[in-house]
Every structure is written in structure tokens, then in C-alpha cells.
Amino acid sequence: MSAKIGNQPALILKEGTSRSEGREAQHANITAALVVAESVRSSLGPKGMDKMLVDGFGDVTISNDGATILDEMDVQHPAAKMLVEVAKTQDDEVGDGTTSAVVLAGELLSKAQNLIDKDVHPTVVVDGYQMANGKALEFLRRLAVKVNPADKVMLRKVAKVALASKLVAEHKDFVADLAVNAVMEVSEKVRTEYKADVEDVKVEKKPGGSLTDTTLIQGILLDKEVVHPGMPKRIENAKIALINCPLEVEKPEFDAKLSIQRPDQMKSFLDEEEKILRDMVDKIAAAGANVAVCEKGIDDVAQHFMAKRNIMAVRRVKQSDMEKLVKATGGRILTQLEGVKASDLGQASLVEERKVSDDKMTFIEGCKNPKAVSILVRGGTERIVDEAERAIHDALCVVRDVMVEPYVVAGGGAPEAEVAKMMRTYAQKLSGKEQLAVQAYADALEIIPISLAENAGMDPIDSLMQVRAKHQTKSKWVGVDPINGKVADLAKLEVYEPLAVKVQALKSAGEAASMILKIDDVIAASKSKGAGPPKGPEESAKEEGEGES
Ligand SMILES: Nc1ncnc2c1ncn2[C@@H]1O[C@H](COP(=O)(O)OP(=O)(O)OP(=O)(O)O)[C@@H](O)[C@H]1O
Ligand SMILES: [Mg+2]
């Protein structure tokens, strides 16, 4: 790019760099972000559609989950990518509401575009939006209803709403129960508050059976089989050694030479190795362990000794699973076998290897008061278990959200409609162009009830008008009921969502919209040679050759 100083062109950017400025840049960014938002909008709500995504290898994903859809879409445009980030943040922070957040961000941008077209400066829009965002959060908190974080009935309702829009909706009662029980099990009460981490619920999936075969295990499920055929496959009252050192004789790291001259030397060498391994097993047995879970390898000879002593063992268990086993069984991770005591061992009422579909898995279950549990997801096909796993993730997250921050709002676009109403009243106090921006923010919020109605085949404008009218008469929880295709009071229908989900959606949508609106210059370097996909060795060799000539 160049500018002229006198007659001399002044080059400040590299050749090949592209640049767009001002309105043009803004317009391009907004359009790109809108395309992303529009692509997920039809999947919002219990009547939303699913998307089928096919990656470069031909692998198919079918999903309704905003974060998953956008992740699989592999968006390239930088502004569009920012909306993908919104979905990611939403997913990481609260686990649900990813589609809503992206749709909202898109609508905020679309309304902003209208204002910009009417010559409202983007900075004014951004300021207005930021003001409105702060107010919206305040209004939302004022609307929210406090609940008892240990109220299973309420938690189940919230989980059911998160599941309503997923492939597993048919079995939402069943799955919601699993999610509530799982999170309650791993939660901890600290004075009056609860702490819970969904990471403590291990979700394993195996295609086969049906979704209703999905089970909650009071302990940890390992996708591992027992190492030796001679070992027991079922142990009751298990005392479990959680071992983090290899049950092998360490091999020298470098080329060490061992010179053996006589056959008896060889024998004594092997005997010594065997003795070391036997000692290891003796120590485990002496502590009273009848199950060994090892993060590292287990030598064949050690396996043999363990089998002889009726100890069941699995090896090469992931570190994250070892940590969960500590939480579930109450055992300690053993970094060496010297001085292992009975009190170091974990406990479970049953450890058993079972066949699940074609694979053997080890169930460590019946743990007393486990602080980590597992869910084994089953379902007809691989795609069903994949989507079921994502749905269970959403359900676990919303249950956690409510336990940690025990406030809920009704769903169906009711809170958005109510906040929009409050926002319009607030806007009247403002003057000038800021008022326009705050009003635009209020209008944008209504995209949620509009989309829910549209996706359910209802008349969106008509539904919105009915919702607005009801809100004027203090029915704050009136919104769209897509299941019955009506405008209704969602609190009466017991459709509740965590406040945390709505708060996060507003925050990240507002931030992303402001950030995109503030950009008035896009300077893009030309694609560097190295940026492409990795080249084969021949190709790069050829290029090098060319460089030399
Ligand atoms: N039974 C129901 N009646 C009315 N509205 C519902 C019902 N179930 C869900 N909803 C609404 O559907 C919306 C959520 O839809 P959906 O789960 O598809 O998207 P999301 O939660 O925003 O994103 P994602 O689940 O993909 O992370 C919320 O506004 C919620 O209130
Ligand atoms: Mg959802």
C-alpha cells in the first residue's frame, strides 16, 4: 500500500498486504459476523434444527450445540472468528447458552449497522451498548429468583431445559436425573455455599445398546482391561493400590554392556530381576491390596506374580484418571512401593472387568462418598453417543451453575423480553444518540423470543407482539413456548435456566459486538509461504533447490 508525499509514494506496508478502512472495513466485519450468527440461529431452542458437519476427512458430526457447530465449521474470517470465540467462552464458563450468545452478538451488530447507516458514529453505538450491557446485567439480577442449591427437583428442571433442545430430548427426564445425581455426588458444601466441578464427572462413551442403558457409576470407569488372563476379573471389597511408578525393572537408558561369561551368571542375572519384581508385588500384597491400578507399565513377570496372589491389575492409566481415582476411592498415589501401608489404599465395594460392546472396561464402583464419579454413555450409533455426551456436558454444567450460584430465570425468551422492556424505560431518561443505541440494544435482545418462535414455525412478529403486550401487564415470565407453539408463562411451565448462563451470554455477546464495532481498519498481511499446509519432503526439497539456483 502507498500514500503520496509530494510526488514520492511512501510505502509503509509490505507488498501484497491488503487493507480496508472506515465504513468498508466495518461493514465487511459485521457482515462476516452476521453470517456466523445466522448459521446457528435456526438451531436455537427445543424446536431448533440440527446441523450436519463434514470435515476434511469425511467424518460427520451431527449437533445442535452452538459451540460444537462453530468449532467444526472452521471459520476463517477474523471478525467471524470472534463470534466463534464467544461460543467457546460461553461453553467454558457456563456450559450452555452458546447458541443464544452468538445469536445475540449477531443481532447487536445488525442493529448497530442500521444506526451506522443512519450516520450514528460507531463510538456512540459502542458507548451506548456498554451502558446498556451494564444495565441489562443489573435488570437480569433483579429479575432472578433465588433457589435452594440442594433442591433436586429444581436442579432437575434446569437440566431438562438444557436437554430439551438436544438429540436426547426424548429421554430428558432420565438423563437429567443422571446429571443431577452426578453433580450432587461430587459437590461439596463449604459453609452455606456449594462447590462443584464438572471435571469430577468422568464421561465415557461406548456405542451400542440404547441411550437408556447410560449409567452413573459411583466411582471410576476405566477404558482398560485387566492385564493378565490369570488374574481375577471381579473383586469385592477392593483395596486398591494407585501406583505411579513402573512395575518393571528399569532398563539402562544408554547402550550399557553387560558381559556374561558363564551360563550361571545369566541365570543369577535373571533371578535377580525376578526377585526385584517379586519384591514389588510382595510389598503391594503386604499392604493388603487386591487391586493395582498403575499409571506406568507392568512387566510380564510382575503380572504373573500378581495373578498368583489373586491381585487384579490394570496398567497405563491416564494421569487424569489417577487423580479422579484418588477422589473416588480415597487412596493415595504411590510414587514408590517402599513402606506402603493399608491406609494408603483406596476402597471400592466392587472392581470388575466387564464387556461393553466389543471392549473390556474396568469398573471401579461402589465407592463410599466418592468425590469423582463416572457416566457411561450408551446409544445406537457413534454419532448418537457423541451428541449425547455433549448434551450430558450441558446438563452437568447447568446443574453446577445453579448449585454454585443458586439463582434461576425462566426460559423461552421471557427474561430477554422483560429486560428489553426495562431497557426501553431506562432509555427514555437518556438523551440524543445514546438513547438510540440503548434502544437498539433492547430491540436486539428480542431476537431470542423471535428466533424461538420462528424455529417452532410460529409467526415471529405476531408472537413478539403478544409477548410484549403481556410484559406490559407485569407477566414477567411470559415468552415463547415452542413445544406447544404458543405464547405462555414459562415459569408456570417450569422452564427454568441458570441466571449464570444468561449473565454470561449478555457479557460475552456485548463485549464481542463492541470489539467488532470498534475496528475501522483491517490490515492483512499477504499469506506467508510457510502458512500453508505442511508440504511433503519432496516438495520442500524442490523449493530449496530452486532458491539456490
Ligand atoms: N421447553 C421450553 N420452552 C421454552 N423455551 C425453551 C424450552 N426449552 C428450551 N427453551 C429455550 O431455548 C433456548 C436454548 O436453546 P438451545 O439449547 O438450543 O441453545 P443455547 O442453550 O443457547 O445453546 P447451546 O445449548 O447450543 O449451548 C433458551 O432460550 C431456552 O429458554
Ligand atoms: Mg442449551
Side-chain angles (χ1 to χ4, degrees):
M1 73 138 316
S2 64
K4 281 206 169 171
I5 302 172
N7 279 334
Q8 292 291 317
L11 297 172
I12 60 161
L13 296 175
K14 242 185 169 168
E15 202 179 334
T17 306
S18 72
R19 180 173 184 183
S20 68
E21 289 171 88
R23 284 270 172 100
E24 189 197 334
Q26 245 145 17
H27 194 75
N29 281 343
I30 292 175
T31 311
L34 284 183
V35 172
V36 169
E38 199 52 38
S39 68
V40 291
R41 199 164 74 88
S42 66
S43 70
L44 185 76
K47 291 282 169 179
M49 306 297 269
D50 295 345
K51 308 274 169 190
M52 182 187 256
L53 302 134
V54 186
D55 70 9
F57 300 103
D59 285 340
V60 179
T61 306
I62 298 175
S63 184
N64 174 286
D65 191 65
T68 309
I69 297 170
L70 294 177
D71 191 37
E72 294 281 333
M73 263 168 51
D74 198 10
V75 171
Q76 289 296 330
H77 192 284
K81 270 189 183 162
M82 286 166 72
L83 285 211
V84 179
E85 289 294 317
V86 168
K88 250 195 212 126
T89 313
Q90 183 79 13
D91 201 35
D92 294 345
E93 292 289 323
V94 288
D96 192 21
T98 59
T99 312
S100 305
V102 173
V103 168
L104 200 56
E107 193 61 14
L108 284 170
L109 287 170
S110 152
K111 295 280 189 261
Q113 178 75 63
N114 293 345
L115 290 179
I116 295 170
D117 288 346
K118 286 183 197 145
D119 271 340
V120 180
H121 196 276
T123 315
V124 178
V125 181
V126 170
D127 288 348
Y129 272 11
Q130 275 168 359
M131 226 156 69
N133 212 249
K135 275 286 161 194
L137 296 177
E138 188 189 315
F139 295 152
L140 205 52
R141 294 215 161 88
R142 214 186 290 164
L143 277 177
V145 180
K146 192 168 174 39
V147 295
N148 172 3
D151 176 7
K152 273 196 173 189
V153 180
M154 176 50 86
L155 295 176
R156 218 173 278 147
K157 285 176 194 161
V158 175
K160 264 160 58 177
V161 173
L163 293 165
S165 52
K166 309 290 175 206
L167 203 73
V168 299
E170 198 188 334
H171 302 292
K172 61 181 179 200
D173 291 86
F174 171 72
V175 181
D177 256 354
L178 279 181
V180 172
N181 291 338
V183 180
M184 284 216 121
E185 197 70 70
V186 300
S187 68
E188 242 176 307
K189 194 171 180 183
V190 185
R191 268 171 265 136
T192 53
E193 285 169 11
Y194 279 87
K195 274 192 184 162
D197 187 353
V198 290
E199 295 289 312
D200 291 336
V201 181
K202 182 182 183 206
V203 183
E204 273 285 347
K205 51 189 179 183
K206 271 280 168 264
S210 82
L211 197 78
T212 45
D213 297 329
T214 300
T215 43
L216 173 64
I217 294 140
Q218 300 284 331
I220 300 301
L221 173 59
L222 299 173
D223 196 358
K224 296 274 170 199
E225 55 182 300
V226 171
V227 285
H228 191 282
M231 286 178 178
K233 297 280 153 53
R234 179 187 164 92
I235 287 190
E236 286 177 25
N237 277 327
K239 305 274 180 288
I240 310 160
L242 305 172
I243 305 162
N244 157 289
C245 51
L247 297 181
E248 289 164 338
V249 177
E250 251 175 83
K251 303 277 182 291
E253 274 191 27
F254 302 102
D255 273 347
K257 264 205 188 120
L258 185 74
S259 72
I260 291 173
Q261 267 108 27
R262 298 187 313 270
D264 59 319
Q265 275 181 330
M266 183 67 190
K267 186 172 180 312
S268 71
F269 175 73
L270 290 177
D271 283 350
E272 186 57 28
E273 226 183 50
E274 196 179 299
K275 187 177 165 295
I276 295 173
L277 292 168
R278 188 184 319 170
D279 274 357
M280 287 179 174
V281 175
D282 282 348
K283 279 177 193 145
I284 297 169
N290 47 17
V291 176
V293 177
C294 188
E295 198 179 322
K296 307 280 165 57
I298 305 178
D299 189 284
D300 290 351
V301 178
Q303 290 177 21
H304 165 78
F305 285 130
M306 285 171 140
K308 264 172 96 177
R309 285 171 162 272
N310 275 329
I311 296 175
M312 177 185 191
V314 288
R315 65 175 165 185
R316 305 214 183 280
V317 173
K318 276 192 289 188
Q319 194 192 354
S320 59
D321 284 346
M322 295 298 283
E323 283 161 11
K324 288 192 181 93
L325 276 167
V326 169
K327 290 184 177 176
T329 65
R332 203 168 63 82
I333 293 205
L334 309 168
T335 44
Q336 55 164 6
L337 296 173
E338 211 54 58
V340 176
K341 303 182 296 294
S343 59
D344 295 333
L345 305 177
Q347 302 202 16
S349 68
L350 179 65
V351 176
E352 187 173 30
E353 180 195 87
R354 286 179 211 147
K355 214 166 167 211
V356 182
S357 282
D358 284 340
D359 296 314
K360 288 176 186 158
M361 300 180 100
T362 303
F363 291 68
I364 297 169
E365 61 187 17
C367 298
K368 237 188 263 159
N369 195 13
K371 285 293 154 240
V373 295
S374 311
I375 292 177
L376 174 59
V377 185
R378 307 301 314 277
T381 69
E382 204 175 320
R383 293 194 225 318
I384 292 179
V385 284
D386 284 352
E387 180 67 351
E389 184 199 18
R390 288 189 283 267
I392 288 174
H393 164 79
D394 283 23
L396 292 170
C397 286
V398 291
V399 173
R400 179 228 27 217
D401 293 341
V402 176
M403 287 197 84
V404 174
E405 191 187 347
Y407 288 90
V408 298
V409 291
E416 288 86 356
E418 182 67 14
V419 172
K421 185 192 97 179
M422 295 160 100
M423 190 68 74
R424 289 197 184 97
T425 317
Y426 164 72
Q428 281 164 7
K429 292 185 205 138
L430 303 171
S431 59
K433 290 183 174 172
E434 246 160 24
Q435 186 182 42
L436 288 180
V438 174
Q439 269 165 355
Y441 187 100
D443 295 346
L445 287 173
E446 289 175 336
I447 190 66
I448 302 295
I450 291 176
S451 307
L452 287 172
E454 208 173 320
N455 292 346
M458 297 159 68
D459 182 334
I461 302 300
D462 187 44
S463 311
L464 178 64
M465 289 309 143
Q466 285 186 46
V467 171
R468 272 193 190 171
K470 286 280 183 198
H471 280 258
Q472 293 305 330
T473 61
K474 294 205 168 143
S475 319
K476 63 175 183 178
W477 295 140
V478 170
V480 174
D481 167 14
I483 294 173
N484 300 307
K486 281 193 204 135
V487 164
D489 188 317
L490 277 305
K492 285 195 186 129
L493 291 172
E494 305 191 320
V495 175
Y496 290 111
E497 290 187 279
L499 171 68
V501 170
K502 295 287 164 193
V503 164
Q504 184 60 43
L506 286 187
K507 274 190 196 163
S508 38
E511 277 167 17
S514 295
M515 200 181 246
I516 292 175
L517 288 172
K518 274 187 179 166
I519 299 168
D520 77 338
D521 204 344
V522 179
I523 305 163
S526 63
K527 285 255 160 22
S528 68
K529 269 191 184 168
K535 297 183 180 90
E538 280 160 308
E539 247 179 292
S540 34
K542 206 170 77 188
E543 259 178 33
E544 270 165 37
E546 277 165 7
E548 275 159 18
S549 66

